[in-house]
Amino acid sequence: MFKRACVFFLGLFAAGSLVAGALASELRPNSGGPYFEGPVYFGFSDFSANASTIEDKLVSAILGEVVIARAAGLTRDDKDWPAAAVYVAAYSFTSKKLADALVYAAQKGCEVTVVMDKKQSQGKGSLASFLASNGVAVFLDASHNAMHSKYIICLSQDAVYTGSYNFTENAKKNAENIVGLAGNPFLVMMYLRDFMGHIEHAEIFSPKTA
């Protein structure tokens, strides 16, 4: 299902990127902050207060997909194109609160896929097995010295969350930051393209053979 959805998105990407490129050329610095303003709507939310707040914000974003999936009355098997989906690229994943949110989303009809660094997935506290055993599709990427991407795509919200924040318990002790970018489907397409690139050379994780 994930690959069929990605083919659909790539079909739009060629035409969409031309439009996005033209619109992006009109974006201009916003004097009120470090972001940009222009004809394309960008919804920026700076979640840099503290790491615990960041974790709660990400959980809320994930659960937002659940609300949309349940409102649509769909399960992952109803359509080739998911009504709601969460795609996560993670260098390391040890946050139990985020893992619980992803599992809940998967069990309530969202398509949930995680790709993470293979070496980190074998480390102490990794929740790769927990996720894979509870309805989340987990892929392990060993094609890089370190698969260090860190972002969450909430498909039905046209939203991407990215920043320095690692999805780990230790991150709660750090000074971290993350930004939410919403309302731009073309931006989501670009992140999906990156995500698909990792999936293409990653291996599916099976807790039974781990």
Side-chain angles (χ1 to χ4, degrees):
M1 182 188 301
F2 174 75
K3 288 189 176 180
R4 290 197 295 271
C6 289
V7 169
F8 176 84
F9 247 115
L10 282 179
L12 294 176
F13 184 80
S17 60
L18 295 176
V19 176
L23 292 173
S25 66
E26 299 181 40
L27 293 176
R28 53 198 178 277
N30 181 354
S31 60
Y35 310 131
F36 295 88
E37 58 185 8
V40 179
Y41 171 68
F42 285 82
F44 287 96
S45 299
D46 188 355
F47 298 156
S48 58
N50 60 66
S52 293
T53 299
I54 290 173
E55 187 179 57
D56 290 338
K57 295 279 189 179
L58 293 177
V59 167
S60 295
I62 293 167
L63 297 184
E65 290 294 293
V66 176
V67 172
I68 292 168
R70 297 184 72 178
L74 300 173
T75 67
R76 285 177 293 171
D77 296 328
D78 286 327
K79 288 187 175 182
D80 288 346
W81 182 242
V86 181
Y87 303 130
V88 181
Y91 172 61
S92 178
F93 204 116
T94 65
S95 168
K96 189 60 166 56
K97 183 181 285 188
L98 286 176
D100 286 341
L102 291 175
V103 167
Y104 180 80
Q107 293 174 346
K108 294 299 181 180
C110 293
E111 180 176 309
V112 182
T113 305
V114 175
V115 61
M116 63 180 70
D117 182 81
K118 183 174 182 178
K119 287 180 288 188
Q120 288 296 312
S121 74
Q122 299 166 346
K124 182 179 179 181
S126 174
L127 294 174
S129 183
F130 171 76
L131 291 169
S133 298
N134 288 280
V136 176
V138 177
F139 290 82
L140 306 181
D141 189 345
S143 297
H144 313 279
N145 183 46
M147 200 296 289
H148 210 247
S149 296
K150 294 170 284 188
Y151 57 79
I152 295 177
I153 301 169
C154 291
L155 192 63
S156 67
Q157 301 171 57
D158 285 332
V160 175
Y161 301 89
T162 187
S164 70
Y165 184 74
N166 279 303
F167 309 127
T168 64
E169 293 296 327
N170 285 336
K172 298 177 185 179
K173 306 172 185 177
N174 302 334
E176 298 283 357
N177 67 82
I178 202 162
V179 65
L181 304 95
N184 189 331
F186 299 119
L187 181 68
V188 171
M189 287 183 205
M190 287 185 271
Y191 270 87
L192 272 175
R193 188 180 185 187
D194 180 78
F195 190 79
M196 290 161 52
H198 290 297
I199 293 292
E200 285 296 322
H201 55 240
E203 61 187 64
I204 187 73
F205 177 80
S206 174
K208 295 180 180 178
T209 60

